[in-house]
């Protein structure tokens, strides 16, 4: 069962309550009878591994497009000497 943190808006009394998902939220302060408000905090979840962060997807797309541009540039570099040598052979 989850534990929820509550704080009174009138007196500031803060406490934790263990409640099931089916139970309604607490609304009355035990100390003064004032209105309660649920407190929200950070959660303790850590995502490890690749694919969880925005930068993970950018890095993979950048590396795949980078390798594609490398192969096309190396292909262009291979094509350029053969074109240059045939052009040079024709001119000479």
């Amino acid at each position: 069962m989850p534990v929820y943190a509550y704080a009174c808006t009138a007196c500031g009394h803060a406490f934790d309550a263990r409640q099931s998902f089916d139970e309604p939220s607490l609304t009355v302060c035990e100390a003064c009878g004032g209105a309660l408000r649920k407190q929200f905090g950070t959660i303790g979840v850590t995502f490890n591994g690749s694919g969880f962060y925005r930068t993970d997807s950018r890095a993979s797309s950048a590396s795949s497009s980078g390798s594609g541009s490398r192969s096309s540039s190396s292909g262009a570099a291979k094509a350029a000497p053969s074109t240059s040598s045939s052009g040079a052979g024709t001119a000479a």
Side-chain angles (χ1 to χ4, degrees), residues 32-59:
C32 72
L36 287 177
R37 183 166 178 96
K38 269 189 183 179
Q39 300 294 304
F40 297 99
T42 59
I43 57 172
V45 176
T46 304
F47 296 104
N48 294 326
S50 62
F52 289 107
Y53 300 99
R54 178 180 284 181
T55 55
D56 289 343
S57 62
R58 289 183 183 167

Side-chain angles (χ1 to χ4, degrees), residues 2-89:
V3 176
Y4 296 101
Y6 288 94
C8 179
T9 57
C11 70
H13 174 68
F15 63 96
D16 294 337
R18 184 178 300 254
Q19 296 178 296
S20 72
F21 293 109
D22 298 336
E23 292 181 48
S25 297
L26 300 177
T27 57
V28 179
C29 178
E30 300 168 345
C32 72
L36 287 177
R37 183 166 178 96
K38 269 189 183 179
Q39 300 294 304
F40 297 99
T42 59
I43 57 172
V45 176
T46 304
F47 296 104
N48 294 326
S50 62
F52 289 107
Y53 300 99
R54 178 180 284 181
T55 55
D56 289 343
S57 62
R58 289 183 183 167
S60 64
S61 66
S63 64
S64 65
S65 65
S67 64
S69 64
R70 286 182 192 152
S71 63
S72 64
S73 65
S74 64
K78 290 178 183 176
S82 63
T83 309
S84 300
S85 63
S86 65

